[in-house]
Structure formats: structure tokens, C-alpha cells
Amino acid sequence: MEFKRERLGEVLVRSGVLTDEQLSEALASQEAEGGKLGEVLVRLQIADAETIARSLAEQKGLEYTHLTTYPVDRDAASYLPERIARRLQAIPIGFKDGDVILAMADPLDIETIDDVRLRTGRQVVPVVTTPSQIEYAINKYVTSADAFEEIADLAAAKDEEEVVAIGDEDVPVVRLVNQIIREAVHDNASDIHIEPGPHNVRIRYRVDGVLHEVATVPVSARAGLLSRIKVMAEMDIAERRRPQDGRIGILIDGRMIDMRVATLPTPFGETVVIRLLNHEAVQPTVQDLGMREHHRAMLEHFLSKPYGEILVSGPTGSGKSTTLYACLQQLNSVERKIITIEDPIELQIEGVTQMAVNPHIGLTFVTLLRTVLRADPDVVMVGEIRDPETAGIATRAALTGHLVLSSIHTNDAPSALTRLSDMEVAPFIASSALIGVVAQRLVRKLCPACKEPVKVTKAYLSAFRVEPGEITARTVYRAHEDGCDECFGTGYRGRTGIFEIMVMDEELERLFIAEAPSEAIRVAALAAGMETLRQDAFLKVCAGITSLDEVMRVIV
């Protein structure tokens, strides 16, 4: 495919993206400060990268491609070395009828097309994408490709089982592991899953609560990859039959990232899950949780109490720790002594005394809680109530002049009372101590740049098993199927909470002491004005914050 030699500015003016005056401004800035014209336009906020790329694609009759969702062929990507791909801002992504498909930020760059044609010996089919998408694909498919091959060669040269201790001197595996972690941090992943199978090792990241496959590693590289991680986490590299736990601290782009590492034995080797903890993350506030004004006022009322117990409930990954940290930020002042007991410390808060559980040396929640209560605290945060002894001590502490915050694993707010009973906390004690319960989930927020409106009809709602009265808006929004550059092709960007807040009143106390079933407690809470998780979620659908697809993924 050949193009008439045109300048980028001419094409963008002809397509209506730029005016002649804006082009002149951009060219003057380019002459003064340098850089490519597309970069200058983005820097001056005259046009965004995706608008430029889509306009170029339309003007030249080319396809616009999202590399975050495109099934890139690693063999094709390997045609260009990393430094060349970065210089050309281009990456081969696949093959079509014997030709190589080349993703380009500037399809008018005929020299790059000719260069790739000569290097590959194939005709080039250009497709258009943005510079950030090119950078993403190079990091994902090219940077670690050489390391994959070198590790595979290393394992092939030896018996795989002999490759058990890979140290810093073995650059390929070190580079590969660092690249896996670095990509996860850049993608704002919360977890890395490394899962061996019969033919390869699958690598997945959990981003905004959803797992995405990002790479596969040859099975011959399995032992070296896992051994490197276990060495970093100070685990026993010779032990492959039992689960192990470890920790890694690493500096990524100037940020200290703490990681919890867990291994599990499987028929195909050990699977590894790495939880990423960014101690330098922005500290959340109550205003950042995504609560509606009504719910935020209720939580702030809870926190204004001088003593009592506040519980945050929900399954793993529902944002309980974030809510607890936001509460601590609200309470943090020079007049209060705040002590936390955590497993692990996920975020460091200045002015708060934070302690980490370490069962190996006898520092359990119970032993630390007993010690903390002798240290004259005003506020105590217990990361999680897991056992009857911790539940009993925390509840009694709330009756003796301490404000106690903790999390508990239940599906909704009323079930927290039943859970306390199950953990042998006397109902008359728990009912006197408990201020309220915050139940929550996390849902992904729609990308504001590409979300699509959907007209609300009975047929549309019935597909989600939603009653017409539950959605009051005439139009709601859904995620764009292909997403955009702003959301890396997912249609979603960031997460927010949905909440159910139960206030402990006299009627609930009476029912709890009478050992009423959880459903009776729930009916009474609803009668007192409690809004359910489902109700809060649908209000956020109506507000265009999230989608019905996402809500129904999280709430049955």
C-alpha cells in the first residue's frame, strides 16, 4: 500500500481536526521546542492523540486499532528490536495473507513502512493507533521477548528441574520478573497471577477487580521464573509440595512497592499470586469513597462517636481496607491516639501508630490487641475480626471508652450481627457496643471518554433481571465494546464503592438480644430506612457512573 507524500498537518486540516490558525500555532511551537507534530498538538491541548489517530485512519482508509485488546502475534512483534520499534513508533502485530500488519502512530511515515518491508521481506499493511498504545505494546510484547527466549534456551540447555536457583547474575529471568512487576504497577494491577499449565505458564493481572491475561511464558522457563520470585520473597526454593508465603519490597519508578507472595502446588508446578501494595499511594478520604451524600453523612456521624464499634463488611476485594483507612484519615488529629493492628500494613499514615501481625513470632491479632489496649489509645483499628477471641476483646474494648474500627466477612450489613453471634460474642454485649455496619462492594466506573448511552426499555431491563421501578432514568450508559485509549480498551476506568449502611437502633438491639434470624433483622433495618447495596448500585447506574453489566457482575 502506497501513500501520496503528505504532511500530518495538511491531513488534519483537511479532516477538520485543526484550523489553519491552530496548525500555525503548533508548527511555531514545534520549531521552538522540537518534537513531532502529533506530540506538540497533544501538549498544547489542541487535539488528543486518539482524535488525531482516528482522523488519520479515516482520511487514509485505514483501520484504527486498539492494541490493548488486539490479539498481537508475538512472532510478528519480534521482527523489530525494541530500540528500533521505539524510534519508529511502530510495532508489527500480526500477518494477513502473507503480509505483515504494522501498527503505526504516523501512517504517513513512508520511510518506516519501507524499513519494515526490508527487514521482514514482506509487504506491509499499516493500521493506525496512538503513541501510548505503541508504547504499551512494546512494553508488553517486545521488551520481555528476548528474556523469554533466553530463559527458554537456558532451560533447554539443562534439565528443567536443575534450574532452581536463578540469581542476579542470570539477566534474562531477572529482567523478565522485573518487567512483569513493572507492567503490573503501570497497569494499576492489584494482583499478579502466575499459573503453570501443561504447555505454558499463563500470566494474568487483576485490574479494577477483573483478571486479564497479559502474557504466556514457555513451560521450559517455568522453573527459572518461579525460583527467581521465591528467592526475592525469601522462600524455600527447594520446597515445591507445600504452600508458602513471602514478601518482596522493590522500587519501581521511584515508588516503593511492597508485595505479598503466596505459592500453591498444582499438578503442573507451583502457581504464584503476588498482591501489590503501594505504600506511597494517595491516602483516601471519606470523600473519595464514592458514597452518596446521605451515606457519607451517616458514616461521619458514626465517626463522631467517642466510643463504640464500627464494622465494615464485605467479601475479599470489596474495598474494606480503603474504607477503614479513609475513616482513620477523618479521625486523625493531634488530640487522638490511634493505633492499628493490620495484616499487612497496606498504607502508612503519618501520625498513626501502625502494627503488623506476625504469627511466626507470636504477634497475632489477639496478642497485639491485648497489648494495644494497655497503651492508652483513643481509637483502635483491627484489620479483620477472624476469630471469637479477637471479636470478644474488640467488642469489650468498644464498651470501655475506645472507638473500635474493624472489618468482617459477611455479604450484607445485617449478617454482621449473626456473624458476631457465631463467634460467641454475647448479643447483649455486641448490641450495646455496635454503632453501625457498613457493607460494601466495588464496581468499575464507566470511562467518561467513551461510554455509550442506552435507552431504558422493559426488554433491556429484563435481560438483567431488573424490575422497571428499580431504574428511574430514561437513559443509562454502558461500556464501549472496544473502549478507547483513556481506558486501555476496557470501557472502564477506576472503581467506586456501593454501600449499605445499617444504624444500630433500639429495635435492632431488641431483635439481636432475642436472637432473631438474620432476615428479621434485615426487614427491621429496611423499615428504619436502610438502603440495600442493590438500591445504591442502581442509583449509580442512573447517574451514569457505572453500568448494569458491571452491577450484575458484582451483585446477584
Side-chain angles (χ1 to χ4, degrees):
M1 182 177 291
E2 294 186 2
F3 296 126
K4 173 187 173 183
R5 289 182 178 270
E6 285 187 283
R7 295 181 180 275
L8 174 61
E10 296 171 355
V11 175
L12 295 178
V13 169
R14 187 171 72 245
S15 64
V17 173
L18 300 181
T19 63
D20 289 327
E21 292 76 13
Q22 288 173 324
L23 176 58
S24 298
E25 178 188 354
L27 290 174
S29 177
Q30 182 185 32
E31 184 176 355
E33 301 181 26
K36 295 185 176 182
L37 180 59
E39 296 170 348
V40 173
L41 292 171
V42 172
R43 186 175 69 234
L44 296 177
Q45 298 183 345
I46 294 174
D48 62 80
E50 185 172 357
T51 299
I52 294 170
R54 286 187 180 277
S55 178
L56 281 171
E58 182 179 352
Q59 287 291 308
K60 291 301 178 182
L62 300 176
E63 179 183 347
Y64 175 80
T65 302
H66 278 287
L67 298 186
T68 49
T69 55
Y70 189 92
V72 173
D73 187 319
R74 286 187 179 272
D75 290 336
S78 66
Y79 270 116
L80 284 185
E82 179 184 352
R83 61 182 181 81
I84 304 269
R86 292 191 188 279
R87 177 171 59 81
L88 299 179
Q89 283 201 323
I91 179 173
I93 58 173
F95 302 99
K96 182 178 181 181
D97 300 328
D99 299 337
V100 62
I101 303 172
L102 182 68
M104 307 178 67
D106 181 6
L108 306 179
D109 188 348
I110 297 174
E111 286 78 9
T112 291
I113 295 174
D114 289 339
D115 189 340
V116 174
R117 184 187 295 119
L118 290 172
R119 287 176 179 275
T120 63
R122 298 171 183 259
Q123 293 300 310
V124 173
V125 178
V127 296
V128 188
T129 190
T130 64
S132 64
Q133 292 277 302
I134 294 285
E135 180 74 14
Y136 169 87
I138 291 173
N139 288 338
K140 183 172 180 179
Y141 298 105
V142 180
T143 301
S144 57
D146 291 342
F148 285 174
E149 293 179 8
E150 291 179 54
I151 296 171
D153 292 343
L154 177 64
K158 304 179 181 181
D159 185 307
E160 183 195 351
E161 296 302 314
E162 293 178 5
V163 186
V164 294
I166 305 290
D168 289 344
E169 70 278 3
D170 292 293
V171 174
V173 75
V174 173
R175 190 165 71 248
L176 175 59
V177 171
N178 289 347
Q179 181 66 18
I180 290 171
I181 296 172
R182 185 175 292 108
E183 280 188 33
V185 172
H186 289 170
D187 289 352
N188 292 319
S190 60
D191 303 86
I192 303 169
H193 292 249
I194 300 173
E195 304 159 325
H199 307 297
N200 56 41
V201 179
R202 181 172 65 172
I203 299 172
R204 296 192 290 173
Y205 296 159
R206 188 178 295 279
V207 180
D208 290 338
V210 178
L211 283 169
H212 303 273
E213 183 172 328
V214 296
T216 57
V217 179
V219 71
S220 56
R222 176 186 62 194
L225 175 64
L226 298 182
S227 293
R228 172 59 185 169
I229 293 171
K230 290 168 78 173
V231 167
M232 294 174 70
E234 298 183 354
M235 295 177 174
D236 182 355
I237 62 173
E239 178 56 72
R240 306 172 192 173
R241 300 168 299 172
R242 294 191 178 95
Q244 294 189 67
D245 295 308
R247 299 192 179 191
I248 300 172
I250 190 171
L251 203 62
I252 300 290
D253 296 338
R255 288 189 293 165
M256 176 53 68
I257 307 297
D258 185 31
M259 290 167 279
R260 287 190 297 171
V261 184
T263 65
L264 297 171
T266 76
F268 303 108
E270 293 169 284
T271 185
V272 179
V273 179
I274 303 173
R275 168 65 57 90
L276 303 176
L277 306 172
N278 182 7
H279 291 309
E280 299 175 17
V282 176
Q283 296 179 350
T285 67
V286 170
Q287 289 72 28
D288 298 328
L289 298 176
M291 287 184 170
R292 292 165 32 240
E293 186 64 36
H294 171 60
H295 280 156
R296 189 165 68 243
M298 292 175 71
L299 179 58
E300 289 176 342
H301 177 67
F302 289 174
L303 297 174
S304 69
K305 300 289 186 179
Y307 60 87
E309 187 172 34
I310 302 169
L311 295 179
V312 181
S313 75
T316 299
S318 59
K320 299 187 298 296
S321 295
T322 300
T323 297
L324 289 173
Y325 279 125
C327 291
L328 292 181
Q329 285 283 68
Q330 181 93 354
L331 294 166
N332 195 10
S333 69
V334 294
E335 293 85 11
R336 289 191 181 97
K337 175 70 172 183
I338 302 176
I339 304 179
T340 72
I341 305 168
E342 307 176 53
D343 183 23
I345 297 172
E346 297 185 25
L347 190 65
Q348 294 171 346
I349 303 178
E350 186 175 354
V352 174
T353 302
Q354 297 174 266
M355 304 175 67
V357 169
N358 189 345
H360 298 297
I361 58 174
L363 297 180
T364 65
F365 277 112
V366 171
T367 56
L368 285 176
L369 185 53
R370 285 194 177 118
T371 302
V372 162
L373 293 177
R374 293 194 293 268
D376 189 31
D378 297 296
V379 180
V380 177
M381 192 269 272
V382 181
E384 183 181 344
I385 292 178
R386 300 176 179 173
D387 56 80
E389 196 169 4
T390 304
I393 297 172
T395 303
R396 285 191 292 274
L399 289 174
T400 56
H402 305 92
L403 185 62
V404 178
L405 284 66
S406 189
S407 70
I408 193 167
H409 283 276
T410 62
N411 288 327
D412 56 24
S415 298
L417 300 183
T418 307
R419 180 73 178 127
L420 288 175
S421 292
D422 292 342
M423 287 193 284
E424 303 172 5
V425 180
F428 72 90
I429 294 178
S431 61
S432 299
L434 195 60
I435 298 171
V437 182
V438 179
Q440 65 180 76
R441 300 289 190 279
L442 290 175
V443 293
R444 292 179 293 173
K445 294 192 294 185
L446 286 163
C447 174
C450 67
K451 65 181 182 181
E452 298 178 327
V454 182
K455 188 175 181 180
V456 175
T457 63
K458 288 185 178 179
Y460 181 72
L461 294 179
S462 66
F464 295 97
R465 306 186 307 280
V466 174
E467 296 297 326
E470 292 184 291
I471 299 291
T472 57
R474 294 184 178 181
T475 301
V476 297
Y477 291 85
R478 66 184 175 194
H480 190 285
E481 183 179 0
D482 296 323
C484 67
D485 282 352
E486 296 292 323
C487 59
F488 292 99
T490 65
Y492 296 93
R493 194 170 69 188
R495 288 191 290 178
T496 191
I498 53 177
F499 300 92
E500 175 180 287
I501 301 183
M502 183 182 75
V503 181
M504 198 67 181
D505 60 15
E506 291 183 2
E507 176 62 15
L508 292 182
E509 286 187 30
R510 185 187 66 78
L511 290 171
F512 188 30
I513 292 172
E515 299 184 357
S518 179
E519 185 56 32
I521 294 173
R522 182 173 184 80
V523 169
L526 290 172
M530 183 185 77
E531 295 178 343
T532 65
L533 287 165
R534 186 181 177 98
Q535 288 172 323
D536 190 40
F538 287 160
L539 285 170
K540 285 170 181 171
V541 169
C542 293
I545 296 170
T546 189
S547 68
L548 271 175
D549 304 77
E550 177 65 6
V551 167
M552 302 313 289
R553 181 184 71 85
V554 174
I555 299 178
V556 179

